[in-house]
Structure formats: structure tokens, C-alpha cells
Amino acid sequence: MGNPEASPAELLRGRVTAVRGTVVDVWFEGQLPPIDAALRCELDGEGPITAVVHSHLGRSSVRAIATDSTRGMRRGAAVTCDGLPLRIPVGSQLVGRVIDLHARPLDGGPELSWDETLPLYRSPPPPSDCRGLGEVYPTGIKVIDLFCPFTHGGRVAVFGGAGVGKTVVLTEFIHNAVASLRGIAVFAGIGERSREGLELWRELRERGFMDRTAMVFGQMKEPPGARFLVDLAALSVAEYFRDVERRSVLFLIDNVYRHVQAGMEVSGLLGRLPSRVGYQPTLAADIAALEERITATTQGDMLSVQAIYVPADDYSDPAITHAFWHMDSALVLSRDVAAEGLYPAVDPLGSSSKALDPAIVGQRHYDTAQEARRVLGRYEELKDLISMLGIDELSAEDRQLVGRARRLRNFLTQPFYVAETFTGTPGRNVAPAATVEGVESILEGRYDQVPEDRLFMIGGLDEAPRN
């Protein structure tokens, strides 16, 4: 916290006057520490814990949110503060490391140096320093590259309910992206289960990708204050690589909704009246404080991909709508698609991207994606009719369209590298140009005579010969 070399004369000193969960009230002898300053609170028989000043209570007390467990804290416990905000060490020493909010190693490695640090709370870069959407960022995942292309400098959200594959899609993207990454990947795990974090770390290490990755975790067992701040800590690390080392940064978050949940818990502990659906009244500001800092600048590139849980599959939930406003690409995972065994379970009609524009992806890609959407949309309209009357009652034109839609849906499935252990099928990485060409061939009827199942879980169309 703060400046570890601050002299005792510079420290502000106080005493704990109240402890309510992870909310701590502190009385100070003289000057009050500023908002967002880090406090060092002593525990009996244990090491100190850190709290962050949230508000001033009159002229002599502050209210702070603890980022560690307050178990064992008592009234009258000594508190010191150097007046500086909570900070995190940055630099190349983090490459290949896994740490928590306080930069404590979670990978069994050596302690980090605090010679160079950045505060967790930082202002977004000025608009004059920001860059707009850049070139398309190929993911190698067919359905994403076709309907929801990612771009350099963009913010991408992977929306989905529980169990539809958000983390799997995010992990596959990490696998494909880091393999060709010329910069650094920074991963923020918010409220992660220990098992999930361990699996991702092992996956990256076994494939030799950890030498280009830094990971910051706030695990599920951590207090809400820590879970609320861990993505801001990881973002400060990413900003250092972008602005100081001028490297391309891939910034990944799993899961933004847990950031919102942690903020809701903190808000409840502070006694605020809840807003819509029980969310904190500062919901929009909390999300904006994170998202507005994620951008490419004149110093370096940044692409962000964020998994966002959709509670009860309700896309009108306030947390989802507020997050959606900040995104350049929205990849929607559907429970209905997953129930049909089509993976990745992407809803092509619900997904969108600002990059799906002829000026960015080219006219051929744009026209192919629009025609594919038309065909799949018409197929959705005909589904109820087919279930009631059978496909033979459709017109010849509609029967042809249904056949092509089914082949197209099968072609857009794909075996993942990160799922090889479970499926036994080698993963595939397909270039966007090959995806567009394959979809175009199916829509033009060149594969009308090929059985549908031959197009299921393949890479390019060259794996499904027409004869």
C-alpha cells in the first residue's frame, strides 16, 4: 500500500472505532487521509490488512472498505496511512506471474519488487490520445470472425447465462490469440473459483504461453472489496505495458458481472439504498470507471475481451444493458443453441459488431454475413411450422433454404483446442477468409448434396469433400 519508504513523521495515525463486516470506521488525530487512500490496519497476532478510504465522516473520521478479512480486528486497533492510494507493482517482472490484488504471488514464485508502481484508480486517457477501431483481429473461430469480428482497439463482450460456454470461448480465444501475439496478455480473474484459475494457468503454461501473460486474481473467497478492485489492478498493469513499454496488450476479464456483484455487496455494507433490481445506485459509474480506461491510444494498442454473465438469461437486466453500451462487439451465447449441441453456442442473430462494416471487413465479407443472417433468420421463422406439419409441407424454395441453413449451422460449429482433452477431437483454427469462402459456398448451393453431418465439427470446407 502507498509508499513503503514513507518515514514515520509523514504517516497519518488513527484508531479503529467500528467494524461492520469489511466496513471499517477510523478516527484520525489530525489531518484526514484523502478519498481512495490506502490504510494499514493492525491485527492482534497477525499481519496488517489494507483498507481503502471510501468517505469522510465529519472532520475526524473516515469510512473505509477492507480488502482483506477483518476477522480478529478490534476497536482501538492502530491505523497508519501515508496518504497515497492503493497501488500495484508493474513492469516486466509480472510477465509469467500470477498474483492477487496486493501483488502476493499465487504461483509459488518470488516476491515482487515495489520499485515501480501505479495506483488502481486512474483517469481514462484524454480523447485526443485515444484511437478508434483498427484492423480486424482474427480469432480463428468461424462464427465469431463471420458475424462478430473483433478489432484492434475494441472492447468485446461475451454475454451468456450459466453453463453456455463463456469461459470456454474466452479460453479458446486466449489460446488462438496468444499463439500469434506480439505483445502481452493481461488476465483479470474476478471472483474466480480456484479450480478455474488453476486450469487456465496450467493450460497456458503447458502450451508455452505464460511467458507472454500476466494474471491477476481476486478469488471467490476474497472479501467484496478485493473482488471489486482486482480488475482495476489488472487494468493498471495493462496500461503500463500499453503506455510505458508501448506494447500491444490483450486485456481479458472473467467475469465482469462478478465485479458488479462485488460492488453491490460493498454498497450494501455501506448502507446505501439499492437501485433497480437491487443493484447499487452507482452501477453505471462503476462500470464506466472500468470500461472507459480500456482503449487503444497513440502510445500502444489494446484489445479487451470480457466474459459477462447474464443473470437468468435476462438481457434487459440493468447490469447487462449498462455494460452493453460500452462494447464495440457483443457476442451472445444462447442456451437454445447449446441445447441443440451446436458449439460454440453463439446466437448469430443476437450478436453484433461495429466492425461488421464494408469499410472494415470488405464488401464480400459483409454481404456474405448479411445473407447468412437472412437465411438463418428465415429458418428460425419456419421452425414452428416444420415441427407441426413437417418439412414436406414447405415450398421447394423454403425446403432448399432450410437445408442450407442446417448445413450452415453445422459448418459454424468448431472443435476447440482447449476442449481436446474432453472431446478427443483436435482443435481447428480457421482463417477469416476461409470462413467467408466456406459460408459463401454453402449459401450458393455448392454443398446441397453433401450430408449435413459431414459439415459438423470441422475446420474449413476442405475437410468435407462434396463427393
Side-chain angles (χ1 to χ4, degrees):
M1 58 160 278
N3 179 8
E5 298 181 359
S7 66
E10 297 173 322
L11 295 177
L12 304 175
R13 299 183 182 278
R15 296 284 177 182
V16 172
T17 58
V19 182
R20 293 182 297 277
T22 54
V23 175
V24 181
D25 290 351
V26 182
W27 172 85
F28 281 89
E29 299 171 2
Q31 179 184 352
L32 291 181
I35 301 296
D36 295 335
L39 307 180
R40 180 186 176 97
C41 308
E42 300 297 334
L43 290 183
D44 288 339
E46 297 183 25
I49 68 168
T50 301
V52 178
V53 176
H54 172 269
S55 56
H56 288 178
L57 306 176
R59 296 183 178 182
S60 59
S61 295
V62 301
R63 180 159 291 165
I65 305 295
T67 57
D68 296 291
S69 172
T70 55
R71 182 173 296 172
M73 181 178 287
R74 59 177 176 79
R75 293 177 63 184
V79 178
T80 55
C81 176
D82 56 15
L84 297 177
L86 188 63
R87 304 174 76 85
I88 189 167
V90 293
S92 299
Q93 62 174 332
L94 289 174
V95 179
R97 300 302 306 275
V98 185
I99 61 172
D100 68 4
L101 173 68
H102 301 289
R104 294 178 293 228
L106 300 178
D107 54 6
E111 296 290 330
L112 298 177
S113 164
W114 286 79
D115 293 339
E116 197 164 12
T117 63
L118 282 179
L120 271 58
Y121 285 105
R122 307 183 73 212
S123 300
S128 58
D129 288 348
C130 296
R131 289 192 284 121
L133 298 180
E135 298 178 350
V136 171
Y137 195 110
T139 69
I141 303 173
K142 292 180 288 188
V143 68
I144 295 178
D145 288 335
L146 179 67
F147 292 113
C148 190
F150 299 173
T151 60
H152 290 271
R155 302 185 198 103
V156 179
V158 182
F159 291 104
V164 296
K166 297 183 299 300
T167 300
V168 174
V169 169
L170 185 64
T171 307
E172 180 72 5
F173 171 76
I174 295 171
H175 173 278
N176 294 351
V178 174
S180 59
L181 185 65
R182 295 186 297 273
I184 288 291
V186 179
F187 181 87
I190 309 172
E192 286 283 312
R193 302 172 184 88
S194 299
R195 170 185 55 80
E196 294 174 337
L198 181 61
E199 288 174 355
L200 177 60
W201 176 67
R202 282 178 173 169
E203 177 77 25
L204 295 175
R205 188 183 61 172
E206 289 170 3
R207 298 185 183 274
F209 297 153
M210 276 304 294
D211 60 352
R212 284 165 282 170
T213 306
M215 306 177 80
V216 186
F217 280 98
Q219 299 179 70
M220 192 172 282
K221 65 178 182 179
E222 303 290 337
R227 286 183 272 119
F228 184 71
L229 294 174
V230 68
D231 49 349
L232 300 179
L235 183 51
S236 292
V237 172
E239 288 172 327
Y240 177 87
F241 287 122
R242 180 194 66 191
D243 299 335
V244 178
E245 297 195 0
R246 296 177 178 263
R247 302 171 78 171
S248 296
V249 178
L250 179 61
F251 184 54
L252 307 138
I253 306 177
D254 188 11
N255 180 310
V256 172
Y257 187 75
R258 294 195 188 118
H259 171 76
V260 172
Q261 281 184 311
M264 189 168 21
E265 292 177 51
V266 169
S267 183
L269 290 168
L270 291 169
R272 291 176 180 154
L273 289 175
S275 184
R276 289 178 54 203
V277 201
Y279 288 113
Q280 61 271 39
T282 57
L283 174 64
D286 290 346
I287 294 177
L290 169 69
E291 299 294 346
E292 291 304 306
R293 287 169 56 185
I294 303 174
T295 181
T297 68
T298 53
Q299 282 76 39
D301 190 25
M302 181 182 287
L303 166 66
S304 174
V305 183
Q306 310 168 27
I308 303 179
Y309 166 70
V310 180
D313 294 337
D314 179 13
Y315 285 87
S316 65
D317 186 272
I320 305 307
T321 55
H322 281 299
F324 187 86
W325 294 339
H326 295 278
M327 299 302 162
D328 300 303
S329 300
L331 187 69
V332 175
L333 302 186
S334 165
R335 194 170 302 283
D336 293 337
V337 175
E340 295 184 55
L342 302 172
Y343 292 97
V346 175
D347 178 4
L349 303 179
S351 302
S352 62
S353 173
K354 294 178 182 177
L356 192 59
D357 183 293
I360 297 176
V361 298
Q363 191 67 47
R364 182 188 181 191
H365 184 149
Y366 176 80
D367 291 342
T368 301
Q370 293 302 100
E371 177 61 14
R373 274 200 174 130
R374 185 193 71 80
V375 169
L376 293 173
R378 178 60 179 162
Y379 174 58
E380 290 297 319
E381 294 172 0
L382 294 171
K383 269 187 175 180
D384 289 341
L385 189 61
I386 294 171
S387 64
M388 289 187 293
L389 303 178
I391 195 170
D392 293 334
E393 296 301 316
L394 301 180
S395 66
E397 181 182 354
D398 281 344
R399 284 200 301 274
Q400 182 187 71
L401 181 144
V402 167
R404 291 177 182 175
R406 286 176 172 171
R407 287 171 175 79
L408 179 58
R409 294 202 319 161
N410 279 358
F411 175 64
L412 292 176
T413 62
Q414 187 168 340
F416 280 179
Y417 289 98
V418 297
E420 286 180 6
T421 305
F422 308 101
T423 64
T425 304
R428 302 286 194 280
N429 187 318
V430 183
T435 297
V436 171
E437 184 177 349
V439 171
E440 196 175 55
S441 297
I442 292 171
L443 294 175
E444 290 176 354
R446 298 181 214 163
Y447 282 75
D448 283 356
Q449 305 307 314
V450 176
E452 297 173 16
D453 58 355
R454 288 194 188 178
L455 302 178
F456 183 72
M457 284 295 172
I458 63 172
L461 270 186
D462 55 336
E463 297 182 30
R466 281 177 280 181
N467 297 325

